[in-house]
Amino acid sequence: LCPVDFDTLLFMAEHVDQLVTHDELHYRLWPSHGFSKNRIAVQMHKVRRAIRDGRQAPLLHTVRDCGYLLSPRRPNLHANRV
């Protein structure tokens, strides 16, 4: 992994089973650059590919319009909605 890939994975590992927002990722990885959802999506794709290791179920989940979740379990994203 290159340094930014490692930093991304480390940040996600520090927040296992917690939603990490696009903003949190941006400020952690690229604090001096303009915000870009595309940059974040590309970065998360690289990390997802690196940690897949032949698994059927993904470890890194996209939470649409919010961010990402690192979890061995499939998240129930609708559990807390009213």
Side-chain angles (χ1 to χ4, degrees), residues 2 6 11-12 16-17 28 34 52 58 61 71 82:
C2 73
F6 181 81
F11 188 65
M12 294 303 297
V16 169
D17 291 323
R28 170 67 183 255
R52 173 163 269 169
H61 308 274
S71 177
V82 177

Side-chain angles (χ1 to χ4, degrees), residues 34-62:
F35 181 81
S36 169
K37 273 192 180 180
N38 186 56
R39 180 183 294 135
I40 293 168
V42 168
Q43 182 61 37
M44 298 311 276
H45 174 76
K46 290 168 56 178
V47 170
R48 187 177 278 128
R49 193 173 56 211
I51 64 174
R52 173 163 269 169
D53 193 31
R55 293 176 53 93
Q56 292 287 66
L59 291 173
L60 185 58
H61 308 274
T62 301

Side-chain angles (χ1 to χ4, degrees), residues 5-76:
D5 296 344
F6 181 81
D7 288 346
T8 304
L9 184 54
L10 177 62
F11 188 65
M12 294 303 297
E14 291 169 346
H15 298 89
V16 169
D17 291 323
Q18 298 174 26
L19 175 66
V20 177
T21 68
H22 295 114
D23 286 338
E24 290 172 315
L25 285 165
H26 167 75
Y27 290 117
R28 170 67 183 255
L29 302 172
W30 303 283
S32 61
H33 291 84
F35 181 81
S36 169
K37 273 192 180 180
N38 186 56
R39 180 183 294 135
I40 293 168
V42 168
Q43 182 61 37
M44 298 311 276
H45 174 76
K46 290 168 56 178
V47 170
R48 187 177 278 128
R49 193 173 56 211
I51 64 174
R52 173 163 269 169
D53 193 31
R55 293 176 53 93
Q56 292 287 66
L59 291 173
L60 185 58
H61 308 274
T62 301
V63 180
R64 191 172 173 189
D65 295 326
C66 293
Y68 297 89
L69 179 72
L70 182 67
S71 177
R73 296 173 296 282
R74 183 175 178 86
N76 182 358

